[in-house]
Amino acid sequence: MRIATWNINSVRMRLDLLLRLMEEESPDVICLQETKVVDPDFPLGPLAERGYVHAHVHGMKSYNGVAILSRLPFESHDVQHWCGKQDCRHALAHLPGGIELHCVYIPAGGDIPDPAVNEKFAHKLQFLDEMTHWLRTERTPDRRMVLVGDLNIAPLEQDVWSHKELLSVVSHTPIEVEKLSAMQDSAGWVDAMRRFVPPSEKLYTWWSYRAKDWEASNRGRRLDHVWVTPPLAGALTGVTVRRDARGWEPKPSDHVPVIVDLDV
DNA sequence: ATGGTAGCGTAGCTA
């Protein structure tokens, strides 16, 4: 089973690039974040034409939005809400083989890494706490689960272009890394990407739009993740980061697709 | 020293 995850930054703006990803990688399931569209306007037709006839879309006007597109049928699907908001950041689906798939978009958290003065950062930390508590109480590590998405945190030193310079930059602060680690512990999650790329090696999934030349400066961060629970860890056969997609014409997303293969 | 780009939707928010 091949699962892709991508923060597409508007599914309507980048429909052609989504079709390209489908053609080139042929994933069974695609999880999207930042679809930025209400459900009735989601472009389901062209996706169904390519075999992705099962779609679980969960979007809102202008912001956020997640979707699970699949060639495989869902046994069921659902959404989760966090921090008392209905802001379309978490969808899940039950895939064949008893696999529960979570598609997650964690809040970016604004610019100032202080919850006392920045309510967006406070929201991010609370989101992490609530989701961690839910996973710990409602799920157990013996379940077959996959969690993917834009978690907006780069936890390891080699997940950012400069560990030192980013220690006080939202996405790589110690408090965020600590809370992401607690979430990872909540259901025994395994970091699938780092099963195939050693932690000593740089690995990024996002490069800012604001760089003059993203490729030359290469100031990236690993904000997008693939986690699996222990029963699926042995089934992992590979992970692909489509770095080249950062340069896709005519208009790339600032995130690139991550693809995981499972022998199930 | 603090701007730089992108999307939505048509001003300003969010990333």
Side-chain angles (χ1 to χ4, degrees), chain A residues 106-161:
Chain A
I106 290 181
D111 287 332
I112 304 164
D114 180 354
V117 298
N118 174 8
E119 63 183 25
K120 292 204 275 283
F121 194 69
H123 177 216
K124 183 178 198 173
L125 299 183
Q126 192 189 339
F127 189 106
L128 287 158
D129 284 342
E130 284 190 17
M131 195 163 167
T132 299
H133 179 258
W134 182 81
L135 287 166
R136 197 184 291 128
T137 53
E138 303 295 327
R139 295 295 184 269
T140 51
D142 61 329
R143 273 212 204 200
R144 291 157 66 86
M145 297 193 289
V146 179
L147 187 154
V148 304
D150 177 5
L151 306 186
N152 264 316
I153 298 171
L156 306 182
E157 292 195 15
Q158 304 308 324
D159 289 340
V160 292
W161 63 275

Side-chain angles (χ1 to χ4, degrees), chain A residues 14-30:
Chain A
R14 264 171 277 287
L15 178 59
D16 287 347
L17 297 185
L18 177 58
L19 300 179
R20 176 173 175 179
L21 177 68
M22 288 171 166
E23 273 185 29
E24 292 187 8
E25 295 290 348
S26 208
D28 296 298
V29 186
I30 302 181

Side-chain angles (χ1 to χ4, degrees), chain A residues 15 39 41-49 52-57 69:
Chain A
L15 178 59
D39 296 346
D41 293 341
F42 199 103
L44 293 176
L47 309 178
E49 281 174 25
Y52 296 86
V53 296
H54 307 282
H56 176 29
V57 298
L69 313 170

Side-chain angles (χ1 to χ4, degrees), chain A residues 6-251:
Chain A
W6 192 18
N7 179 322
I8 195 169
N9 186 22
S10 170
V11 68
R12 289 177 293 178
M13 184 66 52
R14 264 171 277 287
L15 178 59
D16 287 347
L17 297 185
L18 177 58
L19 300 179
R20 176 173 175 179
L21 177 68
M22 288 171 166
E23 273 185 29
E24 292 187 8
E25 295 290 348
S26 208
D28 296 298
V29 186
I30 302 181
C31 293
L32 299 176
Q33 303 87 39
E34 284 209 83
T35 53
K36 295 188 174 178
V37 65
V38 293
D39 296 346
D41 293 341
F42 199 103
L44 293 176
L47 309 178
E49 281 174 25
R50 277 129 182 115
Y52 296 86
V53 296
H54 307 282
H56 176 29
V57 298
H58 181 45
M60 59 187 280
K61 187 179 166 181
S62 300
Y63 304 114
N64 313 325
V66 288
I68 303 176
L69 313 170
S70 178
R71 290 172 161 168
L72 310 171
F74 306 137
E75 285 164 23
S76 64
H77 55 75
D78 203 354
V79 298
Q80 289 289 326
H81 297 119
W82 304 108
C83 307
K85 297 175 187 282
Q86 313 259 323
D87 54 355
C88 304
R89 294 179 180 274
H90 189 172
L92 59 139
H94 294 99
L95 301 173
I99 295 172
E100 182 174 278
L101 173 64
H102 294 263
C103 175
V104 177
Y105 176 50
I106 290 181
D111 287 332
I112 304 164
D114 180 354
V117 298
N118 174 8
E119 63 183 25
K120 292 204 275 283
F121 194 69
H123 177 216
K124 183 178 198 173
L125 299 183
Q126 192 189 339
F127 189 106
L128 287 158
D129 284 342
E130 284 190 17
M131 195 163 167
T132 299
H133 179 258
W134 182 81
L135 287 166
R136 197 184 291 128
T137 53
E138 303 295 327
R139 295 295 184 269
T140 51
D142 61 329
R143 273 212 204 200
R144 291 157 66 86
M145 297 193 289
V146 179
L147 187 154
V148 304
D150 177 5
L151 306 186
N152 264 316
I153 298 171
L156 306 182
E157 292 195 15
Q158 304 308 324
D159 289 340
V160 292
W161 63 275
S162 168
H163 170 61
K164 268 192 173 178
E165 292 189 59
L166 289 177
L167 270 173
S168 60
V169 173
V170 171
S171 74
H172 193 62
T173 65
I175 180 77
E176 292 169 87
V177 171
E178 186 186 318
K179 288 190 183 294
L180 190 70
S181 172
M183 185 169 139
Q184 205 174 330
D185 291 343
S186 67
W189 296 102
V190 171
D191 180 345
M193 297 173 73
R194 286 304 186 182
R195 277 285 171 108
F196 296 96
V197 181
S200 56
E201 216 172 284
K202 292 287 188 191
L203 186 60
Y204 311 143
T205 65
W206 173 89
W207 292 260
S208 172
Y209 280 127
R210 296 175 190 175
K212 278 179 189 156
D213 184 337
W214 72 273
E215 201 163 21
S217 57
N218 196 26
R219 294 185 166 191
R221 305 178 201 170
R222 184 170 70 113
L223 303 179
D224 303 274
H225 297 266
V226 176
W227 291 354
V228 303
T229 46
L232 289 176
L236 289 167
T237 58
V239 169
T240 305
V241 177
R242 285 296 303 264
R243 186 181 192 277
D244 62 302
R246 186 60 182 78
W248 277 358
E249 299 287 349
K251 283 175 162 282

